[in-house]
Amino acid sequence: MPRYLVVQAPEDGVRLITLQRPEALNALNTELLAELAAELDSADRDPAIAVVVITGNRKAFAAGADIREMAERDLVGILNDPRVAHWQRIAAFSKPLIAAVNGFALGGGCELVMCADIVIAGEDARFGQPEINLGIIPGAGGTQRLLRAVGKPLAMQMVLTGESISARHAQQAGLVSEVSQPELTVERAMQIGAAIARKAPLAVRLAKEALLKAADTDLATGLRLERHAFTLLAGTADRAEGIRAFQEKRPAHFQGQ
Ligand code: DAK
């Protein structure tokens, strides 16, 4: 049983993971990150799960790495930091990951948001990389993914000043896909998760892989990957079912084959 997570399955095919460390604004200590990495590994292996939604509470999605824990680490501790591997496992999750964000998403919290594929933010959400205030820089992709998401000027401003931005600003900048009323954030994320869970699983997986590739490769390589994935799907039973269902004017029933 995880100590810092609540794991639920409120919708068919969708797992809801709630960060549960409210006394520290869901600060991401090593144990929480290990639990999260293990949950995502298990969801990746489970064919009954198509999508994971991750959320926090109304005050904080996550206020970053645990600063108390960071204070105890010396240089050797940082070189052997187990959190690096946890972050790598979180970022490697191959099914769609949706973040439902209310309140603070700062430092590692903002980096966790950027590991998600779809981001629904409550109007009160704040996104920022305040590490500069601690004399450090982001350590879980905050310089790399933020720049790719929002472009150079805003990424520079956020990382160099440590100042956070609103949900609306984050949406305009490309960090957030939709802004909702804070009380509806999780519901909206679950709705999107359930819609994706009804699609053909192999197509969903390859679509995510191809879209992620677009962010870190040249166009010719990305187009080649897309063509391979497209061709692979041509042989699936789900493609035949999708086309048949369209012609028969009924919903498709995909099997992941
Ligand atoms: N760590 C530990 N405790 C935290 C915390 C954090 N990041 N953020 C808040 N808390 C705790 C507070 O200490 C306080 O605890 P008590 O004093 O009540 O025991 C409680 O949560 C409530 O916080 P506040 O009293 O401060 O609440 P306020 O509403 O006044 O302020 C705030 C909210 C979010 C503005 C403020 O708490 C704040 O500035 N928090 C720190 C935000 C921050 O600097 N975050 C970035 C941390 S550095 C790595 C990967 C990633 C990283 C590092 C390494 N590797 C792969 C190696 C990431 C680094 C970071 O994220």
Side-chain angles (χ1 to χ4, degrees):
M1 275 287 281
R3 176 174 170 199
Y4 293 120
L5 307 176
V6 175
V7 183
Q8 295 163 293
E11 288 272 354
D12 260 8
V14 187
R15 185 165 281 180
L16 174 63
I17 299 178
T18 306
L19 307 183
Q20 190 74 18
R21 208 185 160 215
E23 68 283 4
L25 303 187
N26 287 337
L28 306 167
N29 63 8
T30 305
E31 198 177 335
L32 188 159
L33 283 173
E35 289 178 0
L36 183 56
E39 277 307 324
L40 291 178
D41 282 351
S42 120
D44 237 349
R45 286 193 305 268
D46 186 343
I49 295 169
V51 176
V52 171
V53 172
I54 180 167
T55 194
N57 56 52
R58 280 294 288 276
K59 172 136 195 206
F61 177 75
D66 189 308
I67 298 174
R68 279 175 216 169
E69 198 182 60
M70 282 167 65
E72 290 158 14
R73 279 213 170 85
D74 58 9
L75 182 57
V76 175
I78 288 170
L79 285 171
N80 297 311
D81 197 331
R83 293 175 303 169
V84 175
H86 301 327
W87 275 105
Q88 283 167 347
R89 285 164 67 201
I90 291 166
F93 182 57
S94 76
K95 294 174 179 173
L97 181 62
I98 304 178
V101 183
N102 286 320
F104 297 110
L106 303 178
C110 189
E111 290 169 310
L112 183 54
V113 167
M114 289 188 281
C115 289
D117 304 303
I118 295 173
V119 182
I120 309 301
E123 280 154 352
D124 60 351
R126 303 282 313 172
F127 299 84
Q129 298 290 160
E131 290 88 343
I132 201 85
N133 298 327
L134 303 172
I136 56 172
I137 67 168
T143 60
Q144 303 304 299
R145 291 197 183 93
L146 187 65
L147 187 134
R148 284 166 170 81
V150 306
K152 179 179 160 189
L154 183 57
M156 284 283 181
Q157 191 172 326
M158 289 171 71
V159 171
L160 299 183
T161 66
E163 287 170 10
S164 61
I165 60 171
S166 68
R168 294 272 171 216
H169 193 172
Q171 186 189 24
Q172 269 169 18
L175 195 57
V176 159
S177 41
E178 230 178 86
V179 177
S180 81
Q181 290 172 37
E183 59 277 18
L184 298 180
T185 308
V186 174
E187 194 179 318
R188 179 65 187 134
M190 289 299 303
Q191 239 173 35
I192 295 170
I196 297 171
R198 290 192 290 272
K199 311 296 180 203
L202 295 170
V204 167
R205 182 173 289 225
L206 289 178
K208 170 169 171 167
E209 194 182 330
L211 284 161
L212 286 181
K213 209 36 156 188
D216 63 8
T217 195
D218 61 280
L219 182 61
T221 309
L223 289 173
R224 217 167 30 246
L225 181 115
E226 182 186 88
R227 173 105 328 247
H228 286 321
F230 188 88
T231 310
L232 246 168
L233 291 169
T236 63
D238 281 348
R239 175 182 179 273
E241 163 64 8
I243 292 174
R244 209 178 314 116
F246 175 79
Q247 288 169 338
E248 293 170 3
K249 300 187 187 300
R250 60 169 175 83
H253 300 291
F254 296 116
Q255 308 290 335
Q257 286 164 0

